[in-house]
């Protein structure tokens, strides 16, 4: 403006400067809200900033952290995927995406994302540690399902027992393992054990269709038609 003053440009420059100052103010408020653990307020402020600063990877990562704290993992994944594209060699974003998928019980997508991290940095300690864990779990689940397809139910039960030992912390895997073991027991005519285990699963997930069907099959084996 100093080199080429004109009314229109000055007005435009003032507007942009005002907007810039406003965004900086919102940014400070968002950081403050995050530090005070008011994640809902932080998300609302970050929404406003990102509507203008669409390509800011760090702001997306911050909003993703807020979504994780608020228990909205799918929204966090969306922001982290954008951040992974916007910032070169963003191993941290791939690691976080992989961990979220893992916690949600989606071991296949978790494995795919952690591999992306290792493509960027094969010596990344966190990614390599997670990769080993997910790969082992993934292999066990695949083997168990292969045994079920072949009708080798005892082998499948043994393999799903291994799954529960490999990942005792994330309950989604133990619940899914119990659901599949119940299926194997029912198919293997072990009705009493199947009913017990399916009931255990249904206490955790009352609308689990697979467990309901397998328990029904087990009840039929026991001539418990009402049940």
């Amino acid at each position: 403006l100093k080199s080429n003053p004109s009314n229109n440009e000055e007005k435009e420059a003032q507007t942009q400067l005002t907007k810039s100052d406003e965004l900086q103010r919102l940014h400070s408020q968002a950081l403050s809200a995050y530090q005070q653990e008011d994640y809902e307020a932080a998300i609302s402020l970050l929404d406003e900033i990102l509507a203008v600063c669409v390509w800011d990877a760090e702001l997306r990562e911050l909003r993703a952290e807020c979504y994780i704290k608020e228990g909205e993992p799918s929204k966090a994944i969306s922001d982290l995927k954008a951040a992974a594209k916007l910032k070169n060699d963003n191993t941290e974003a791939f690691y976080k995406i992989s961990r979220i998928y893992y916690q949600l019980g989606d071991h296949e997508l978790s494995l795919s994302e952690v591999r992306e991290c290792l493509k960027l940095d094969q010596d990344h300690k966190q990614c390599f540690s997670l990769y080993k864990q997910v790969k082992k779990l993934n292999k066990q689940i695949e083997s168990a399902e292969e045994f079920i397809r072949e009708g080798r139910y005892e082998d499948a039960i043994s393999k799903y027992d291994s799954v529960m030992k490999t990942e005792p912390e994330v309950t989604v895997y133990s619940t899914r393992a119990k659901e599949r073991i119940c299926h194997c027991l029912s198919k293997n005519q072990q009705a009493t054990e199947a009913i017990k285990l399916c009931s255990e699963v249904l206490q955790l997930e009352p609308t689990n269709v697979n467990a309901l069907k397998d328990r029904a099959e087990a009840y039929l084996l026991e001539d418990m038609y009402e049940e």
Side-chain angles (χ1 to χ4, degrees), residues 46-54 63:
L46 288 165
D47 286 348
E48 279 190 70
I49 306 168
L50 280 160
V52 182
C53 308
V54 185
R63 189 168 67 176

Side-chain angles (χ1 to χ4, degrees), residues 156-205:
I157 289 167
S158 172
K159 195 57 79 173
Y160 268 120
D161 279 333
S162 301
V163 166
M164 289 192 279
K165 288 187 184 112
T166 299
E167 184 43 83
E169 304 293 324
V170 184
T171 54
V172 65
Y173 295 108
S174 53
T175 306
R176 203 62 61 243
K178 284 176 185 175
E179 177 203 301
R180 297 305 279 155
I181 292 171
C182 161
H183 174 73
C184 294
L185 291 167
S186 180
K187 289 284 184 192
N188 220 24
Q189 313 275 303
Q190 293 167 265
T192 310
E193 295 94 323
I195 291 164
K196 183 172 177 284
L197 201 59
C198 276
S199 298
E200 214 176 291
V201 173
L202 287 161
Q203 275 188 323
L204 298 166
E205 297 179 356

Side-chain angles (χ1 to χ4, degrees), residues 106-209:
D106 200 328
H107 51 95
E108 288 169 333
L109 279 176
S110 175
L111 191 60
S112 165
E113 294 295 333
V114 81
R115 277 180 175 144
E116 291 300 317
C117 172
L118 290 170
K119 275 183 201 170
L120 295 172
D121 178 6
Q122 60 187 23
D123 298 322
H124 194 289
K125 282 185 183 175
Q126 286 177 307
C127 284
F128 187 65
S129 172
L130 181 61
Y131 171 71
K132 284 197 298 182
Q133 172 75 1
V134 187
K135 191 183 177 192
K136 183 180 178 183
L137 191 76
N138 195 54
K139 196 173 178 187
Q140 287 173 335
I141 292 170
E142 282 179 351
S143 296
E145 288 302 313
E146 185 63 32
F147 287 143
I148 289 172
R149 284 191 290 276
E150 292 169 2
R152 294 166 60 186
Y153 299 117
E154 291 292 338
D155 290 332
I157 289 167
S158 172
K159 195 57 79 173
Y160 268 120
D161 279 333
S162 301
V163 166
M164 289 192 279
K165 288 187 184 112
T166 299
E167 184 43 83
E169 304 293 324
V170 184
T171 54
V172 65
Y173 295 108
S174 53
T175 306
R176 203 62 61 243
K178 284 176 185 175
E179 177 203 301
R180 297 305 279 155
I181 292 171
C182 161
H183 174 73
C184 294
L185 291 167
S186 180
K187 289 284 184 192
N188 220 24
Q189 313 275 303
Q190 293 167 265
T192 310
E193 295 94 323
I195 291 164
K196 183 172 177 284
L197 201 59
C198 276
S199 298
E200 214 176 291
V201 173
L202 287 161
Q203 275 188 323
L204 298 166
E205 297 179 356
T207 56
N208 186 314
V209 175

